[in-house]
Amino acid sequence: MSRVVVKVGSSSLTTSEGHIDPVRLDGIVEAICDARDRGDEVVLVSSGAIAAGLGPLNLKSRPRDLATQQAAASVGQGALIARYSERFAARGLVVGQVLLTVDDVTRRSHHRNAHQTFAKLRELGVVPIVNENDTVATTEIRFGDNDRLAALVAHLVHADLLILLSDVDGLYNGRPGTPGVTLIEEIRDPAEIEGLDIAHVSSSKVGTGGMVTKVEAARIATAAGIPVVLTSAANARGALAGDKVGTRFESTGRRRSTRLLWLAHASETKGGVHLDEGAVRALTTRKASLLPAGITSVTGTFKAGDPIDVVGPDGAVIARGVVNYDSTELPGLMGRSTHELAAELGEQYEREVIHRDDLMLT
């Protein structure tokens, strides 16, 4: 049995007029149901809420302002999940809607709760359908057109494979359709992508993503030990069956703990600490914890448990970590050993600023 995360884009689910395309959506559902019949577990990350709301609201193209995007998402999400529920039910499967905001993958407590929710849905045999909660987003509404979100969900559920479905059938060594440009069937090293023209965006009027976000999602997933297949929605059945379709990105790293992946890719730092050379060496060569004695200055406002940047004397970020002190506490502790602090202020000041297990070098 394999556990697979499938991400499908707006242009693969909706018409150019902004309505759900029943034929294409049903094709995705059938491919997933066939995979379930083979014993695989599938999590679906589905875009399309805003796009599906355009038609009912008589909008000719994807709106630019946040309020109208949210209104379209509110209308479209209901229609989208209703269609999914109907089609999966016809094959005897129950779906569960999981709407995530950026906070759900940037705040540690939310991240842990999301992990537990997915685990329970799998236990109950439910097909989770994930989308960003566009109706309540307060900043930029998209999360890399759900590509980056799909990579993080793949790690969150300990997936064996991430499949990115789009309106193109893979990664090309140039702009698709240009004479001499061919499909790249396999990527084993991120360096193989350098120099490729991947900056072109989708021609769809309803989607927001392009090849850049998909390659970034592949980089995140493969670095965490999860291979990725990038292909068209028309190849969904073959991709789920293990056929050689599209472009396959082989894993480049080992599977990290969910905590470290959250820290590396999903967390938004609240500030930082600047270190002297001795502290930098201790962290980078001895894999030591960060102590107050090595800190020269503090920037930003953060609380214990927040992710922060760790900065060297030259201003370069050398690591990211979960801090054990509030930013207001640290200035009075800098340059002093934990033993001195404990003797003067109490045992609670003998703790590290960042424990080595909560530190990720960049």
Side-chain angles (χ1 to χ4, degrees):
M1 180 181 71
S2 295
R3 185 172 300 154
V4 184
V5 171
V6 176
K7 185 267 175 180
V8 59
S10 299
S11 60
S12 300
L13 294 171
T14 57
T15 66
S16 58
E17 292 78 25
H19 293 278
I20 294 172
D21 186 320
V23 174
R24 287 191 283 184
L25 185 145
D26 291 359
I28 299 296
V29 170
E30 290 300 312
I32 291 173
C33 289
D34 288 348
R36 283 289 303 258
D37 288 345
R38 291 191 296 269
D40 294 334
E41 294 180 352
V42 182
V43 175
L44 175 61
V45 178
S46 175
S47 299
I50 295 176
L54 301 184
L57 294 176
N58 294 317
L59 299 172
K60 301 302 182 185
S61 62
R62 186 184 177 92
R64 295 181 179 274
D65 67 289
L66 182 62
T68 310
Q69 288 180 10
Q70 291 174 322
S74 179
V75 172
Q77 185 64 35
L80 193 63
I81 199 66
R83 182 71 186 189
Y84 275 132
S85 297
E86 175 189 344
R87 299 315 303 158
F88 275 107
R91 292 286 297 267
L93 292 173
V94 175
V95 304
Q97 180 174 247
V98 182
L99 297 179
L100 299 175
T101 65
V102 173
D103 268 357
D104 294 320
V105 288
T106 58
R107 293 195 178 188
R108 191 172 161 205
S109 59
H110 293 207
H111 188 266
R112 185 171 56 249
N113 185 62
H115 174 77
Q116 294 170 341
T117 299
F118 281 114
K120 180 55 70 172
L121 288 172
R122 293 198 310 271
E123 179 186 325
L124 295 172
V126 174
V127 178
I129 300 180
V130 185
N131 196 0
E132 184 171 8
N133 196 344
D134 293 333
T135 60
V136 299
T138 56
T139 55
E140 177 62 35
I141 197 164
R142 61 186 175 89
F143 198 139
D145 189 43
N146 278 351
D147 293 314
R148 186 169 181 235
L149 178 59
L152 296 171
V153 168
H155 192 277
L156 189 68
V157 302
H158 300 162
D160 301 299
L161 177 68
L162 169 63
I163 298 175
L164 300 175
L165 301 177
S166 181
D167 52 0
V168 294
D169 57 353
L171 178 65
Y172 284 76
N173 59 1
R175 189 178 294 272
T178 304
V181 169
T182 58
L183 176 72
I184 301 172
E185 294 185 353
E186 188 176 53
I187 297 289
R188 289 188 170 274
D189 189 321
E192 298 174 26
I193 302 173
E194 295 177 7
L196 295 181
D197 177 17
I198 61 171
H200 51 279
V201 298
S202 170
S203 60
S204 167
K205 295 180 180 179
V206 296
T208 61
M211 193 56 66
V212 171
T213 63
K214 291 166 181 57
V215 169
E216 171 64 11
R219 184 187 68 82
I220 292 171
T222 56
I226 304 170
V228 176
V229 171
L230 168 62
T231 190
S232 65
N235 289 330
R237 190 183 300 272
L240 279 161
D243 296 344
K244 191 174 183 180
V245 295
T247 302
R248 182 179 175 91
F249 297 77
E250 296 294 346
S251 59
T252 58
R254 61 182 178 82
R255 189 174 294 274
R256 297 172 177 172
S257 69
T258 300
R259 179 181 178 82
L260 289 182
L261 193 82
W262 163 81
L263 189 59
H265 295 292
S267 59
E268 181 178 327
T269 57
K270 308 298 183 182
V273 291
H274 292 249
L275 311 185
D276 59 27
E277 288 286 359
V280 170
R281 286 194 299 272
L283 266 56
T284 57
T285 63
R286 302 204 309 269
K287 311 299 181 186
S289 298
L290 176 61
L291 304 178
I295 300 175
T296 59
S297 65
V298 177
T299 57
T301 302
F302 50 82
K303 297 184 180 298
D306 282 341
I308 64 170
D309 290 324
V310 179
V311 185
D314 60 356
V317 175
I318 65 164
R320 178 178 279 189
V322 179
V323 68
N324 292 320
Y325 289 89
D326 295 352
S327 55
T328 54
E329 293 181 273
L330 286 176
L333 310 181
M334 295 184 317
R336 305 168 69 185
S337 74
T338 54
H339 296 300
E340 291 173 342
L341 292 169
E344 180 181 341
L345 302 174
E347 292 181 359
Q348 68 269 30
Y349 288 96
E350 200 167 10
R351 67 188 188 274
E352 303 98 338
V353 176
I354 302 176
H355 190 273
R356 61 178 177 271
D357 291 340
D358 292 331
L359 191 71
M360 173 169 282
L361 299 176
T362 57

